[in-house]
């Protein structure tokens, strides 16, 4: 399943849906997973495929909203940005889930994942503009983190 998801992602990125691209993508996905296994960490417990489209729609919506917020912050008068580094307690406990959350946050304009605590219970996030650290924590926990739990557990 992981190989198929990687293959679909690769084909979507390249825009090539031919049979030869599918074969190449499956081989590439298998090779990458084979090489990554010795690095340690645990993969996803399972993937609920029926919840994946909703997860993707949510992420695209978050991308659009974040881009609009960043654009508004850029054209706003100087001094209105309120950057912050916020510690976000994690409900996620597997390396793959935490890595996915950190990457989704970093891909969203205006936020950047900085570090994970050694005990993997806290993610440190930089926000370009936030009104409240508690609001940012709540957005991450009730947004990305909750949806990761719904799809991958």
């Amino acid at each position: 399943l992981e190989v198929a998801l990687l293959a679909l992602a690769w084909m979507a990125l390249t825009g090539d849906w031919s049979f030869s691209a599918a074969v190449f993508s499956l081989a590439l996905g298998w090779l990458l997973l084979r090489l990554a296994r010795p690095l340690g960490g645990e993969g996803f417990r399972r993937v609920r495929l029926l919840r994946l489209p909703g997860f993707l729609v949510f992420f695209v919506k978050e991308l659009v909203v974040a881009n609009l917020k960043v654009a508004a912050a850029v054209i706003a008068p100087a001094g209105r940005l309120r950057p912050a580094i916020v510690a976000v307690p994690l409900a996620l406990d597997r390396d793959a889930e935490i890595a996915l959350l950190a990457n989704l946050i970093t891909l969203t304009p205006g936020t950047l994942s900085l570090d994970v605590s050694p005990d993997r219970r806290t993610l440190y996030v930089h926000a370009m503009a936030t009104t409240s650290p508690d609001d940012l924590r709540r957005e991450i926990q009730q947004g990305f983190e909750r949806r990761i739990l719904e799809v991958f557990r």
Side-chain angles (χ1 to χ4, degrees), residues 100-113:
L100 178 59
L101 175 64
N103 284 305
L104 291 173
I105 289 169
T106 297
L107 286 170
T108 306
T111 55
L112 175 69
S113 298

Side-chain angles (χ1 to χ4, degrees), residues 18 76 120 147 152:
S18 66
R120 296 181 355 222
R147 283 171 175 80
F152 297 102

Side-chain angles (χ1 to χ4, degrees), residues 88-135:
V88 180
L90 296 173
L92 304 172
D93 59 357
R94 296 179 68 108
D95 291 341
E97 296 167 345
I98 295 169
L100 178 59
L101 175 64
N103 284 305
L104 291 173
I105 289 169
T106 297
L107 286 170
T108 306
T111 55
L112 175 69
S113 298
L114 298 174
D115 198 9
V116 178
S117 65
D119 64 1
R120 296 181 355 222
R121 292 186 180 165
T122 306
L123 178 66
Y124 297 95
V125 177
H126 177 273
M128 184 181 91
T130 185
T131 54
S132 161
D134 290 331
D135 288 346

Side-chain angles (χ1 to χ4, degrees), residues 5-17:
L5 289 174
L6 282 173
L8 286 173
W10 180 258
M11 291 171 68
L13 286 171
T14 61
D16 187 355
W17 297 95

